[in-house]
């Protein structure tokens, strides 16, 4: 048996104000998107802003449905929109922010497993990392350098050959 350790580095900013101009703008757009989320069942709203290589910023927010599995997370709404409307344009970064009507979300919210897998597909296909910026309603912001960092054993198309 061989043991291997999987680890990665993150950057932790005490607030959105510590981010550089590009990343602060991206997070503010995610906050805008969060305000338009449709979450009458969970009361948990998520906004995502996707920065494309061409400078476009695409927004997404969670869209719930009474038949819970029929809804879609903010990250996938934004990434799929980018893929449909800007095919072949690389994704540089994604900012994600979450809050709740029922309580204050003061810890960064990371993408769910489905979103990690979907973003991973784009990162693999474009052969360059997608930076992630994660924030709750307030407080610190975590930056991950790539989706591969938080999904190191991703299911890829190589399994389907």
């Amino acid at each position: 048996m061989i043991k291997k350790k999987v680890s990665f580095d993150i950057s932790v900013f005490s607030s959105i104000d510590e981010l550089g101009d590009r990343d602060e703008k991206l997070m503010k757009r995610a906050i805008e998107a969060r305000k338009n989320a449709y979450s009458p069942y969970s009361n948990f709203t998520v906004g995502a802003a996707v920065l494309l290589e061409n400078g476009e910023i695409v927004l997404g927010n969670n869209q719930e449905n009474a038949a819970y599995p029929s809804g879609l997370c903010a990250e996938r709404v934004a990434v799929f929109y980018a893929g449909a409307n800007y095919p072949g344009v690389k994704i540089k970064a994604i900012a994600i922010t979450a809050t709740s009507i029922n309580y204050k979300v003061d810890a960064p919210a990371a993408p769910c497993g489905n979103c990690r897998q979907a973003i991973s597909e784009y990162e693999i296909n474009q052969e360059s990392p997608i930076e992630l910026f994660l924030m709750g309603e307030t407080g610190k912001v975590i930056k991950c350098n790539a989706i591969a960092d938080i999904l190191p054993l991703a299911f890829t198309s190589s399994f389907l050959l």
Side-chain angles (χ1 to χ4, degrees):
M1 176 181 81
I2 298 173
K3 279 191 171 185
K4 293 188 176 187
K5 184 176 183 174
V6 176
S7 65
F8 63 96
D9 293 323
I10 61 171
S11 300
V12 181
F13 302 88
S14 63
S15 74
I16 190 174
D17 300 327
E18 282 190 9
L19 298 173
D21 290 342
R22 181 201 84 160
D23 303 330
E24 181 178 358
K25 177 183 176 186
L26 191 63
M27 186 57 78
K28 285 181 177 178
R29 295 295 308 275
I31 292 168
E32 277 178 43
R34 184 184 74 203
K35 293 175 184 174
N36 295 320
Y38 178 69
S39 59
Y41 308 104
S42 70
N43 293 317
F44 188 78
T45 62
V46 182
V50 172
L51 174 63
L52 301 176
E53 187 175 48
N54 64 5
E56 292 288 330
I57 296 176
V58 174
L59 304 182
N61 44 49
N62 56 320
Q63 298 295 312
E64 293 181 352
N65 190 283
Y68 263 119
S70 298
L72 200 58
C73 299
E75 299 91 312
R76 285 181 286 152
V77 168
V79 168
F80 292 163
Y81 182 91
N85 291 282
Y86 299 95
V89 178
K90 291 182 179 181
I91 297 172
K92 302 297 286 178
I94 302 174
I96 303 162
T97 177
T99 191
S100 173
I101 293 169
N102 300 323
Y103 61 95
K104 188 172 190 167
V105 179
D106 57 4
C112 73
N114 287 332
C115 288
R116 290 176 195 215
Q117 182 64 41
I119 298 166
S120 175
E121 184 90 8
Y122 283 84
E123 187 172 88
I124 290 166
N125 288 340
Q126 70 183 29
E127 298 179 340
S128 61
I130 297 173
E131 296 176 325
L132 298 173
F133 293 87
L134 313 173
M135 187 177 101
E137 180 180 352
T138 61
K140 66 183 174 181
V141 177
I142 293 177
K143 176 190 175 198
C144 302
N145 297 315
I147 193 71
D149 289 344
I150 64 171
L151 187 62
L153 301 174
F155 184 85
T156 68
S157 62
S158 66
F159 292 103
L160 303 175
L161 300 176

